Amino acid sequence: MEVRFSGLLLRFTGYERTVTVKANTVGKALESLRQQFPQLGPVLWDGTGKLQRVHRLILNGEVISSNDRRALRDTDRLEFLTAVAGG
Amino acid sequence: MEAVGEFVQQRWGELLDEVGAGAAERYAAGEAFPRKYLIQAAQKSLHGLALPREIGGEGMGSNVWGRVLEEMTFRCDESAFSLVVSMTTSIAFTLYQSGDARLIDNYVRPFMSGELAATLAFTEDADFWSWGTTLTRDGDGGVLSGRKSYVTGGLISDVFLTYAAAEPGRLAACLVHRDDPGVRLIPAEGMGFQSAGMAVLEFIDVELGPERILTWTDGLDHSQLYLNERRSMQASWTVGRMRGLVARCAARLRTTTRQGQPVLDYANVAGALGRMHMLTDVAQTMTHDVLDRQARGETDLVYDAKISAAKHFSAEQAMNLAHQALRALGGHAYYGDEYYGRYVRDCAGLIPAGGTQDSLEITIGALVAKNLL
């Protein structure tokens, strides 16, 4: 499946906007990303291992939880949208 | 707003008049307004207005507080006063929401009594991940080093809610006291807010105990929870300032004649005043709407597009109003009344503050593009 990054996450993927991961669940896709881009981990997950609230996870255009259990297909597309602003 | 206006006038009117009396002179001299006014305001229950009764507040909620902030800004010529008060109240709200009794006793209650004033230490001339301010683990606590380049009310605050780079990819949040060894405050030179006690804040190996560290790992979320709420307060302040400008402009135009005619008989001048009123009215409506949504729990707590839109619109229109005023008032606004110069310099700061206008547009655009708004 395809995973798309934008905004401030790009520097943690080496500015790769689209990557392909082999995963049949959201959890496995996120784990695969963690292994592929170790520096992305602390940015995506909070101290308890949950996805930080500033990130929205979007599966085929639908906002989902990082605990979403549905089975994924190769044609699915996962995106991150990070909504932050300065002070 | 009439009821809020009467409430503000009744409880704080005298104080606002006193604070406002020396505003122009302080601004010209680059002096912060006296700290004693923060204490007097707190003693008149300003800081605890929105906080719950069980901790000594008045339980009026942030929607009332936002309207009070707007009204104070409208009524007081020292516009830095309400801005600095609102920094403490926003931090009080954030610490209260943590539910940590120790933070409530040690900080929120002293904020309400006026014993302590707080502000945010966030801004550096860099993105989050390139910050030079770092918090390094040292036993149970940490050591803070670095520099925050522009801290609102820094010179007259006691506590700084500070965000720093921690482990790679993580931000930490901590509370720093002005009298902590290694803390250094330097007056900051900016375009506006000359009486707001703006400061550069330096940390030279500041040792912080574990009780001062709010989070080692989740400072990004923590900061956005704070800043999202803060944006509606910025919009409230801005609307108050816009109302002040329109009122002052209208008062001047009512007594001005050109070519033997009242200047308001010229259609273009009356039209300018009408535009200014409408823009202010729309900004106020947007801001009140998000304040009410926040009170009803209908906003996204981390990033709410409607709150961002209210901040964005009010900041843009505040500057637009200055342009309109210069056109309608002619030379008077430029050299005849220093109020307009203060207004322009301060309101220019609303463009970068609270999330730059462009960054807000980009995020809202991305949400629209993904069909999330």
Side-chain angles (χ1 to χ4, degrees), chain B residues 16-51:
Chain B
L16 294 176
D17 288 345
E18 190 183 334
V19 182
E25 293 74 17
R26 280 194 297 267
Y27 201 99
E31 290 172 8
F33 67 81
R35 167 67 198 274
K36 68 178 182 183
Y37 294 131
L38 292 176
I39 298 167
Q40 289 174 19
Q43 288 169 345
K44 290 175 181 287
S45 304
L46 181 61
H47 294 67
L49 201 68
L51 290 163

PDB file of all heavy atoms in Angstrom, chain B residues 16-51:
ATOM      1  N   LEU B  16      -8.879  50.286  34.483  1.00  0.00           N
ATOM      2  CA  LEU B  16      -8.530  50.422  33.065  1.00  0.00           C
ATOM      3  C   LEU B  16      -8.230  51.876  32.717  1.00  0.00           C
ATOM      4  O   LEU B  16      -7.310  52.157  31.936  1.00  0.00           O
ATOM      5  CB  LEU B  16      -9.663  49.880  32.180  1.00  0.00           C
ATOM      6  CG  LEU B  16      -9.928  48.373  32.280  1.00  0.00           C
ATOM      7  CD1 LEU B  16     -11.125  47.974  31.426  1.00  0.00           C
ATOM      8  CD2 LEU B  16      -8.701  47.564  31.873  1.00  0.00           C
ATOM      9  N   ASP B  17      -8.967  52.784  33.316  1.00  0.00           N
ATOM     10  CA  ASP B  17      -8.684  54.214  33.083  1.00  0.00           C
ATOM     11  C   ASP B  17      -7.301  54.576  33.613  1.00  0.00           C
ATOM     12  O   ASP B  17      -6.544  55.306  32.974  1.00  0.00           O
ATOM     13  CB  ASP B  17      -9.738  55.083  33.791  1.00  0.00           C
ATOM     14  CG  ASP B  17     -11.088  55.015  33.098  1.00  0.00           C
ATOM     15  OD1 ASP B  17     -11.141  54.537  31.947  1.00  0.00           O
ATOM     16  OD2 ASP B  17     -12.093  55.412  33.712  1.00  0.00           O
ATOM     17  N   GLU B  18      -6.981  54.045  34.790  1.00  0.00           N
ATOM     18  CA  GLU B  18      -5.678  54.360  35.400  1.00  0.00           C
ATOM     19  C   GLU B  18      -4.530  53.772  34.577  1.00  0.00           C
ATOM     20  O   GLU B  18      -3.541  54.431  34.316  1.00  0.00           O
ATOM     21  CB  GLU B  18      -5.647  53.809  36.836  1.00  0.00           C
ATOM     22  CG  GLU B  18      -4.453  54.296  37.629  1.00  0.00           C
ATOM     23  CD  GLU B  18      -4.409  53.688  39.029  1.00  0.00           C
ATOM     24  OE1 GLU B  18      -5.471  53.310  39.561  1.00  0.00           O
ATOM     25  OE2 GLU B  18      -3.289  53.583  39.573  1.00  0.00           O
ATOM     26  N   VAL B  19      -4.689  52.534  34.149  1.00  0.00           N
ATOM     27  CA  VAL B  19      -3.639  51.890  33.339  1.00  0.00           C
ATOM     28  C   VAL B  19      -3.475  52.638  32.016  1.00  0.00           C
ATOM     29  O   VAL B  19      -2.367  52.862  31.536  1.00  0.00           O
ATOM     30  CB  VAL B  19      -3.980  50.416  33.033  1.00  0.00           C
ATOM     31  CG1 VAL B  19      -2.857  49.754  32.230  1.00  0.00           C
ATOM     32  CG2 VAL B  19      -4.227  49.624  34.292  1.00  0.00           C
ATOM     33  N   GLY B  20      -4.610  53.016  31.447  1.00  0.00           N
ATOM     34  CA  GLY B  20      -4.572  53.641  30.121  1.00  0.00           C
ATOM     35  C   GLY B  20      -4.012  55.042  30.130  1.00  0.00           C
ATOM     36  O   GLY B  20      -3.522  55.527  29.096  1.00  0.00           O
ATOM     37  N   ALA B  21      -4.051  55.702  31.287  1.00  0.00           N
ATOM     38  CA  ALA B  21      -3.671  57.117  31.350  1.00  0.00           C
ATOM     39  C   ALA B  21      -2.254  57.388  30.856  1.00  0.00           C
ATOM     40  O   ALA B  21      -2.002  58.377  30.183  1.00  0.00           O
ATOM     41  CB  ALA B  21      -3.849  57.628  32.773  1.00  0.00           C
ATOM     42  N   GLY B  22      -1.327  56.510  31.147  1.00  0.00           N
ATOM     43  CA  GLY B  22       0.058  56.791  30.743  1.00  0.00           C
ATOM     44  C   GLY B  22       0.514  56.008  29.527  1.00  0.00           C
ATOM     45  O   GLY B  22       1.722  55.907  29.261  1.00  0.00           O
ATOM     46  N   ALA B  23      -0.425  55.454  28.780  1.00  0.00           N
ATOM     47  CA  ALA B  23      -0.057  54.503  27.728  1.00  0.00           C
ATOM     48  C   ALA B  23       0.831  55.107  26.636  1.00  0.00           C
ATOM     49  O   ALA B  23       1.856  54.523  26.271  1.00  0.00           O
ATOM     50  CB  ALA B  23      -1.322  53.912  27.108  1.00  0.00           C
ATOM     51  N   ALA B  24       0.435  56.260  26.136  1.00  0.00           N
ATOM     52  CA  ALA B  24       1.181  56.843  25.014  1.00  0.00           C
ATOM     53  C   ALA B  24       2.618  57.170  25.421  1.00  0.00           C
ATOM     54  O   ALA B  24       3.569  56.910  24.662  1.00  0.00           O
ATOM     55  CB  ALA B  24       0.469  58.090  24.513  1.00  0.00           C
ATOM     56  N   GLU B  25       2.763  57.717  26.615  1.00  0.00           N
ATOM     57  CA  GLU B  25       4.104  58.094  27.080  1.00  0.00           C
ATOM     58  C   GLU B  25       4.980  56.856  27.285  1.00  0.00           C
ATOM     59  O   GLU B  25       6.160  56.846  26.933  1.00  0.00           O
ATOM     60  CB  GLU B  25       4.014  58.885  28.396  1.00  0.00           C
ATOM     61  CG  GLU B  25       3.361  60.249  28.279  1.00  0.00           C
ATOM     62  CD  GLU B  25       1.848  60.195  28.109  1.00  0.00           C
ATOM     63  OE1 GLU B  25       1.249  59.131  28.403  1.00  0.00           O
ATOM     64  OE2 GLU B  25       1.271  61.207  27.645  1.00  0.00           O
ATOM     65  N   ARG B  26       4.392  55.820  27.882  1.00  0.00           N
ATOM     66  CA  ARG B  26       5.164  54.578  28.089  1.00  0.00           C
ATOM     67  C   ARG B  26       5.595  53.979  26.756  1.00  0.00           C
ATOM     68  O   ARG B  26       6.714  53.513  26.606  1.00  0.00           O
ATOM     69  CB  ARG B  26       4.323  53.550  28.864  1.00  0.00           C
ATOM     70  CG  ARG B  26       4.267  53.768  30.351  1.00  0.00           C
ATOM     71  CD  ARG B  26       3.714  52.544  31.069  1.00  0.00           C
ATOM     72  NE  ARG B  26       2.351  52.255  30.702  1.00  0.00           N
ATOM     73  CZ  ARG B  26       1.278  52.698  31.364  1.00  0.00           C
ATOM     74  NH1 ARG B  26       1.414  53.452  32.424  1.00  0.00           N
ATOM     75  NH2 ARG B  26       0.063  52.381  30.958  1.00  0.00           N
ATOM     76  N   TYR B  27       4.661  54.001  25.813  1.00  0.00           N
ATOM     77  CA  TYR B  27       4.952  53.411  24.500  1.00  0.00           C
ATOM     78  C   TYR B  27       6.131  54.146  23.851  1.00  0.00           C
ATOM     79  O   TYR B  27       7.066  53.529  23.337  1.00  0.00           O
ATOM     80  CB  TYR B  27       3.711  53.500  23.611  1.00  0.00           C
ATOM     81  CG  TYR B  27       3.685  52.528  22.453  1.00  0.00           C
ATOM     82  CD1 TYR B  27       2.954  51.348  22.546  1.00  0.00           C
ATOM     83  CD2 TYR B  27       4.368  52.786  21.272  1.00  0.00           C
ATOM     84  CE1 TYR B  27       2.907  50.448  21.496  1.00  0.00           C
ATOM     85  CE2 TYR B  27       4.327  51.898  20.216  1.00  0.00           C
ATOM     86  CZ  TYR B  27       3.596  50.728  20.327  1.00  0.00           C
ATOM     87  OH  TYR B  27       3.564  49.844  19.280  1.00  0.00           O
ATOM     88  N   ALA B  28       6.062  55.466  23.913  1.00  0.00           N
ATOM     89  CA  ALA B  28       7.126  56.276  23.302  1.00  0.00           C
ATOM     90  C   ALA B  28       8.467  56.012  23.974  1.00  0.00           C
ATOM     91  O   ALA B  28       9.520  56.006  23.328  1.00  0.00           O
ATOM     92  CB  ALA B  28       6.765  57.753  23.380  1.00  0.00           C
ATOM     93  N   ALA B  29       8.409  55.787  25.286  1.00  0.00           N
ATOM     94  CA  ALA B  29       9.660  55.570  26.041  1.00  0.00           C
ATOM     95  C   ALA B  29      10.102  54.106  26.013  1.00  0.00           C
ATOM     96  O   ALA B  29      11.196  53.782  26.479  1.00  0.00           O
ATOM     97  CB  ALA B  29       9.458  56.020  27.491  1.00  0.00           C
ATOM     98  N   GLY B  30       9.250  53.228  25.492  1.00  0.00           N
ATOM     99  CA  GLY B  30       9.583  51.801  25.466  1.00  0.00           C
ATOM    100  C   GLY B  30       9.585  51.169  26.836  1.00  0.00           C
ATOM    101  O   GLY B  30      10.342  50.232  27.101  1.00  0.00           O
ATOM    102  N   GLU B  31       8.703  51.661  27.714  1.00  0.00           N
ATOM    103  CA  GLU B  31       8.639  51.133  29.088  1.00  0.00           C
ATOM    104  C   GLU B  31       7.441  50.219  29.251  1.00  0.00           C
ATOM    105  O   GLU B  31       6.328  50.561  28.814  1.00  0.00           O
ATOM    106  CB  GLU B  31       8.464  52.286  30.092  1.00  0.00           C
ATOM    107  CG  GLU B  31       9.682  53.160  30.238  1.00  0.00           C
ATOM    108  CD  GLU B  31       9.368  54.385  31.091  1.00  0.00           C
ATOM    109  OE1 GLU B  31       8.261  54.467  31.675  1.00  0.00           O
ATOM    110  OE2 GLU B  31      10.235  55.269  31.139  1.00  0.00           O
ATOM    111  N   ALA B  32       7.649  49.105  29.927  1.00  0.00           N
ATOM    112  CA  ALA B  32       6.530  48.208  30.221  1.00  0.00           C
ATOM    113  C   ALA B  32       5.578  48.884  31.200  1.00  0.00           C
ATOM    114  O   ALA B  32       6.021  49.651  32.069  1.00  0.00           O
ATOM    115  CB  ALA B  32       7.049  46.911  30.827  1.00  0.00           C
ATOM    116  N   PHE B  33       4.288  48.579  31.084  1.00  0.00           N
ATOM    117  CA  PHE B  33       3.349  49.129  32.077  1.00  0.00           C
ATOM    118  C   PHE B  33       3.679  48.510  33.437  1.00  0.00           C
ATOM    119  O   PHE B  33       4.197  47.386  33.514  1.00  0.00           O
ATOM    120  CB  PHE B  33       1.888  48.883  31.667  1.00  0.00           C
ATOM    121  CG  PHE B  33       1.471  47.443  31.669  1.00  0.00           C
ATOM    122  CD1 PHE B  33       1.100  46.791  32.835  1.00  0.00           C
ATOM    123  CD2 PHE B  33       1.449  46.730  30.476  1.00  0.00           C
ATOM    124  CE1 PHE B  33       0.713  45.466  32.827  1.00  0.00           C
ATOM    125  CE2 PHE B  33       1.067  45.388  30.452  1.00  0.00           C
ATOM    126  CZ  PHE B  33       0.706  44.758  31.634  1.00  0.00           C
ATOM    127  N   PRO B  34       3.401  49.235  34.523  1.00  0.00           N
ATOM    128  CA  PRO B  34       3.807  48.740  35.853  1.00  0.00           C
ATOM    129  C   PRO B  34       3.135  47.419  36.219  1.00  0.00           C
ATOM    130  O   PRO B  34       1.939  47.236  36.003  1.00  0.00           O
ATOM    131  CB  PRO B  34       3.367  49.859  36.798  1.00  0.00           C
ATOM    132  CG  PRO B  34       3.286  51.064  35.943  1.00  0.00           C
ATOM    133  CD  PRO B  34       2.851  50.591  34.588  1.00  0.00           C
ATOM    134  N   ARG B  35       3.923  46.572  36.817  1.00  0.00           N
ATOM    135  CA  ARG B  35       3.463  45.263  37.245  1.00  0.00           C
ATOM    136  C   ARG B  35       2.306  45.367  38.252  1.00  0.00           C
ATOM    137  O   ARG B  35       1.452  44.480  38.337  1.00  0.00           O
ATOM    138  CB  ARG B  35       4.666  44.519  37.842  1.00  0.00           C
ATOM    139  CG  ARG B  35       4.388  43.267  38.613  1.00  0.00           C
ATOM    140  CD  ARG B  35       3.860  42.177  37.704  1.00  0.00           C
ATOM    141  NE  ARG B  35       3.220  41.155  38.504  1.00  0.00           N
ATOM    142  CZ  ARG B  35       3.830  40.129  39.069  1.00  0.00           C
ATOM    143  NH1 ARG B  35       5.129  39.968  38.872  1.00  0.00           N
ATOM    144  NH2 ARG B  35       3.177  39.256  39.780  1.00  0.00           N
ATOM    145  N   LYS B  36       2.270  46.458  38.992  1.00  0.00           N
ATOM    146  CA  LYS B  36       1.240  46.600  40.031  1.00  0.00           C
ATOM    147  C   LYS B  36      -0.172  46.503  39.445  1.00  0.00           C
ATOM    148  O   LYS B  36      -1.107  46.076  40.117  1.00  0.00           O
ATOM    149  CB  LYS B  36       1.397  47.931  40.777  1.00  0.00           C
ATOM    150  CG  LYS B  36       1.101  49.156  39.931  1.00  0.00           C
ATOM    151  CD  LYS B  36       1.217  50.443  40.745  1.00  0.00           C
ATOM    152  CE  LYS B  36       0.864  51.648  39.865  1.00  0.00           C
ATOM    153  NZ  LYS B  36       1.018  52.915  40.540  1.00  0.00           N
ATOM    154  N   TYR B  37      -0.317  46.873  38.179  1.00  0.00           N
ATOM    155  CA  TYR B  37      -1.652  46.816  37.578  1.00  0.00           C
ATOM    156  C   TYR B  37      -2.113  45.370  37.372  1.00  0.00           C
ATOM    157  O   TYR B  37      -3.314  45.092  37.423  1.00  0.00           O
ATOM    158  CB  TYR B  37      -1.683  47.573  36.253  1.00  0.00           C
ATOM    159  CG  TYR B  37      -1.482  49.068  36.416  1.00  0.00           C
ATOM    160  CD1 TYR B  37      -0.562  49.760  35.640  1.00  0.00           C
ATOM    161  CD2 TYR B  37      -2.219  49.785  37.359  1.00  0.00           C
ATOM    162  CE1 TYR B  37      -0.378  51.125  35.790  1.00  0.00           C
ATOM    163  CE2 TYR B  37      -2.034  51.154  37.524  1.00  0.00           C
ATOM    164  CZ  TYR B  37      -1.110  51.807  36.738  1.00  0.00           C
ATOM    165  OH  TYR B  37      -0.928  53.165  36.899  1.00  0.00           O
ATOM    166  N   LEU B  38      -1.167  44.477  37.138  1.00  0.00           N
ATOM    167  CA  LEU B  38      -1.534  43.063  37.021  1.00  0.00           C
ATOM    168  C   LEU B  38      -2.061  42.557  38.360  1.00  0.00           C
ATOM    169  O   LEU B  38      -3.030  41.800  38.425  1.00  0.00           O
ATOM    170  CB  LEU B  38      -0.329  42.215  36.587  1.00  0.00           C
ATOM    171  CG  LEU B  38       0.207  42.436  35.170  1.00  0.00           C
ATOM    172  CD1 LEU B  38       1.453  41.583  34.937  1.00  0.00           C
ATOM    173  CD2 LEU B  38      -0.856  42.114  34.129  1.00  0.00           C
ATOM    174  N   ILE B  39      -1.399  42.977  39.424  1.00  0.00           N
ATOM    175  CA  ILE B  39      -1.811  42.538  40.765  1.00  0.00           C
ATOM    176  C   ILE B  39      -3.187  43.112  41.092  1.00  0.00           C
ATOM    177  O   ILE B  39      -4.077  42.404  41.581  1.00  0.00           O
ATOM    178  CB  ILE B  39      -0.756  42.979  41.804  1.00  0.00           C
ATOM    179  CG1 ILE B  39       0.586  42.300  41.490  1.00  0.00           C
ATOM    180  CG2 ILE B  39      -1.209  42.656  43.227  1.00  0.00           C
ATOM    181  CD1 ILE B  39       1.775  42.877  42.225  1.00  0.00           C
ATOM    182  N   GLN B  40      -3.368  44.394  40.785  1.00  0.00           N
ATOM    183  CA  GLN B  40      -4.668  45.019  41.081  1.00  0.00           C
ATOM    184  C   GLN B  40      -5.794  44.357  40.291  1.00  0.00           C
ATOM    185  O   GLN B  40      -6.896  44.159  40.809  1.00  0.00           O
ATOM    186  CB  GLN B  40      -4.608  46.514  40.760  1.00  0.00           C
ATOM    187  CG  GLN B  40      -3.753  47.289  41.748  1.00  0.00           C
ATOM    188  CD  GLN B  40      -3.570  48.748  41.355  1.00  0.00           C
ATOM    189  OE1 GLN B  40      -4.333  49.297  40.566  1.00  0.00           O
ATOM    190  NE2 GLN B  40      -2.546  49.375  41.896  1.00  0.00           N
ATOM    191  N   ALA B  41      -5.504  44.000  39.054  1.00  0.00           N
ATOM    192  CA  ALA B  41      -6.533  43.340  38.234  1.00  0.00           C
ATOM    193  C   ALA B  41      -6.898  41.979  38.824  1.00  0.00           C
ATOM    194  O   ALA B  41      -8.075  41.613  38.902  1.00  0.00           O
ATOM    195  CB  ALA B  41      -6.031  43.180  36.808  1.00  0.00           C
ATOM    196  N   ALA B  42      -5.866  41.250  39.242  1.00  0.00           N
ATOM    197  CA  ALA B  42      -6.118  39.934  39.834  1.00  0.00           C
ATOM    198  C   ALA B  42      -6.919  40.077  41.122  1.00  0.00           C
ATOM    199  O   ALA B  42      -7.819  39.279  41.400  1.00  0.00           O
ATOM    200  CB  ALA B  42      -4.790  39.225  40.097  1.00  0.00           C
ATOM    201  N   GLN B  43      -6.598  41.097  41.895  1.00  0.00           N
ATOM    202  CA  GLN B  43      -7.329  41.317  43.154  1.00  0.00           C
ATOM    203  C   GLN B  43      -8.801  41.658  42.906  1.00  0.00           C
ATOM    204  O   GLN B  43      -9.643  41.474  43.764  1.00  0.00           O
ATOM    205  CB  GLN B  43      -6.638  42.408  43.975  1.00  0.00           C
ATOM    206  CG  GLN B  43      -5.325  41.914  44.573  1.00  0.00           C
ATOM    207  CD  GLN B  43      -4.476  43.027  45.176  1.00  0.00           C
ATOM    208  OE1 GLN B  43      -4.716  44.209  44.920  1.00  0.00           O
ATOM    209  NE2 GLN B  43      -3.492  42.652  45.969  1.00  0.00           N
ATOM    210  N   LYS B  44      -9.066  42.150  41.709  1.00  0.00           N
ATOM    211  CA  LYS B  44     -10.464  42.405  41.329  1.00  0.00           C
ATOM    212  C   LYS B  44     -11.012  41.232  40.531  1.00  0.00           C
ATOM    213  O   LYS B  44     -11.915  41.382  39.700  1.00  0.00           O
ATOM    214  CB  LYS B  44     -10.555  43.698  40.508  1.00  0.00           C
ATOM    215  CG  LYS B  44     -10.302  44.965  41.315  1.00  0.00           C
ATOM    216  CD  LYS B  44     -10.303  46.182  40.396  1.00  0.00           C
ATOM    217  CE  LYS B  44     -10.031  47.468  41.160  1.00  0.00           C
ATOM    218  NZ  LYS B  44     -11.147  47.911  41.983  1.00  0.00           N
ATOM    219  N   SER B  45     -10.418  40.062  40.770  1.00  0.00           N
ATOM    220  CA  SER B  45     -10.923  38.782  40.234  1.00  0.00           C
ATOM    221  C   SER B  45     -10.932  38.679  38.713  1.00  0.00           C
ATOM    222  O   SER B  45     -11.764  37.974  38.147  1.00  0.00           O
ATOM    223  CB  SER B  45     -12.338  38.514  40.756  1.00  0.00           C
ATOM    224  OG  SER B  45     -12.346  38.536  42.144  1.00  0.00           O
ATOM    225  N   LEU B  46      -9.990  39.371  38.053  1.00  0.00           N
ATOM    226  CA  LEU B  46      -9.955  39.265  36.591  1.00  0.00           C
ATOM    227  C   LEU B  46      -9.401  37.920  36.134  1.00  0.00           C
ATOM    228  O   LEU B  46      -9.949  37.290  35.234  1.00  0.00           O
ATOM    229  CB  LEU B  46      -9.092  40.400  36.018  1.00  0.00           C
ATOM    230  CG  LEU B  46      -8.966  40.451  34.508  1.00  0.00           C
ATOM    231  CD1 LEU B  46     -10.327  40.643  33.849  1.00  0.00           C
ATOM    232  CD2 LEU B  46      -8.039  41.586  34.073  1.00  0.00           C
ATOM    233  N   HIS B  47      -8.324  37.476  36.768  1.00  0.00           N
ATOM    234  CA  HIS B  47      -7.620  36.292  36.276  1.00  0.00           C
ATOM    235  C   HIS B  47      -8.382  34.990  36.509  1.00  0.00           C
ATOM    236  O   HIS B  47      -8.153  34.009  35.817  1.00  0.00           O
ATOM    237  CB  HIS B  47      -6.238  36.201  36.931  1.00  0.00           C
ATOM    238  CG  HIS B  47      -5.317  37.317  36.543  1.00  0.00           C
ATOM    239  ND1 HIS B  47      -5.551  38.624  36.916  1.00  0.00           N
ATOM    240  CD2 HIS B  47      -4.185  37.326  35.817  1.00  0.00           C
ATOM    241  CE1 HIS B  47      -4.589  39.388  36.427  1.00  0.00           C
ATOM    242  NE2 HIS B  47      -3.751  38.631  35.758  1.00  0.00           N
ATOM    243  N   GLY B  48      -9.262  34.999  37.495  1.00  0.00           N
ATOM    244  CA  GLY B  48      -9.986  33.769  37.804  1.00  0.00           C
ATOM    245  C   GLY B  48     -11.379  33.714  37.204  1.00  0.00           C
ATOM    246  O   GLY B  48     -12.137  32.780  37.478  1.00  0.00           O
ATOM    247  N   LEU B  49     -11.678  34.700  36.388  1.00  0.00           N
ATOM    248  CA  LEU B  49     -13.036  34.810  35.859  1.00  0.00           C
ATOM    249  C   LEU B  49     -13.511  33.522  35.168  1.00  0.00           C
ATOM    250  O   LEU B  49     -14.630  33.061  35.387  1.00  0.00           O
ATOM    251  CB  LEU B  49     -13.066  35.966  34.858  1.00  0.00           C
ATOM    252  CG  LEU B  49     -14.410  36.587  34.554  1.00  0.00           C
ATOM    253  CD1 LEU B  49     -14.946  37.327  35.770  1.00  0.00           C
ATOM    254  CD2 LEU B  49     -14.269  37.545  33.382  1.00  0.00           C
ATOM    255  N   ALA B  50     -12.648  32.959  34.330  1.00  0.00           N
ATOM    256  CA  ALA B  50     -13.074  31.807  33.526  1.00  0.00           C
ATOM    257  C   ALA B  50     -12.851  30.481  34.244  1.00  0.00           C
ATOM    258  O   ALA B  50     -13.397  29.457  33.830  1.00  0.00           O
ATOM    259  CB  ALA B  50     -12.313  31.800  32.204  1.00  0.00           C
ATOM    260  N   LEU B  51     -12.062  30.500  35.297  1.00  0.00           N
ATOM    261  CA  LEU B  51     -11.697  29.230  35.946  1.00  0.00           C
ATOM    262  C   LEU B  51     -12.809  28.756  36.879  1.00  0.00           C
ATOM    263  O   LEU B  51     -13.606  29.558  37.374  1.00  0.00           O
ATOM    264  CB  LEU B  51     -10.380  29.408  36.707  1.00  0.00           C
ATOM    265  CG  LEU B  51      -9.171  29.577  35.775  1.00  0.00           C
ATOM    266  CD1 LEU B  51      -7.978  30.147  36.521  1.00  0.00           C
ATOM    267  CD2 LEU B  51      -8.809  28.255  35.117  1.00  0.00           C
TER     268      LEU B  51
END
